[in-house]
Amino acid sequence: MLILPQFIIKTWTNNNKKYYESKGYKYTKIGDTIKIDILDLNLGSHDIIKCECDYCNKEINKEYRDAINTINNNKKICCAKCQPLKNKEVLI
């Protein structure tokens, strides 16, 4: 599961300006940094976020897009140690 609340520092670019303005963030200038709530990240974001293993509750780091895809497919997030448990569960 995602650990919330959680924020990430992004840099204003021409590519993300419209997107983050549409999310309510106040634009400053290209190259400035901005603190973004991870729930406002683009679904394809490669940013690393903190998650919690749904099996052992250990804190792990995952790419945002991978974590969201896992959650959206009604699957559990797991650490490397618990991967065999998840595999067993999925193959049943």
Side-chain angles (χ1 to χ4, degrees), residues 39-90:
L39 297 178
D40 290 334
L41 288 172
N42 184 307
L43 292 178
S45 174
H46 292 273
D47 289 301
I48 303 298
I49 62 164
K50 294 175 186 166
C51 299
E52 187 176 283
C53 175
D54 288 320
Y55 295 90
C56 70
N57 300 321
K58 176 183 171 185
E59 185 176 298
I60 57 174
N61 294 322
K62 286 187 83 66
E63 278 191 6
Y64 180 75
R65 68 185 185 129
D66 293 341
I68 292 302
N69 284 335
T70 299
I71 292 167
N72 287 343
N73 289 321
N74 295 320
K75 295 181 181 168
K76 295 179 180 177
I77 292 176
C78 70
C79 64
K81 183 184 121 206
C82 295
Q83 187 65 51
L85 293 172
K86 182 177 178 179
N87 291 344
K88 187 185 258 187
E89 196 174 271
V90 170

Side-chain angles (χ1 to χ4, degrees), residues 2-46:
L2 298 178
I3 296 175
L4 298 174
Q6 190 175 160
F7 299 90
I8 193 161
I9 302 298
K10 300 286 284 181
T11 302
W12 282 110
T13 66
N14 286 326
N15 294 333
N16 68 18
K17 180 183 174 202
K18 278 187 181 181
Y19 178 76
Y20 289 121
E21 282 181 317
S22 75
K23 293 289 189 177
Y25 293 93
K26 185 171 169 33
Y27 175 71
T28 51
K29 67 179 183 179
I30 299 297
D32 279 358
T33 57
I34 183 171
K35 186 177 177 181
I36 304 288
D37 185 318
I38 64 163
L39 297 178
D40 290 334
L41 288 172
N42 184 307
L43 292 178
S45 174
H46 292 273

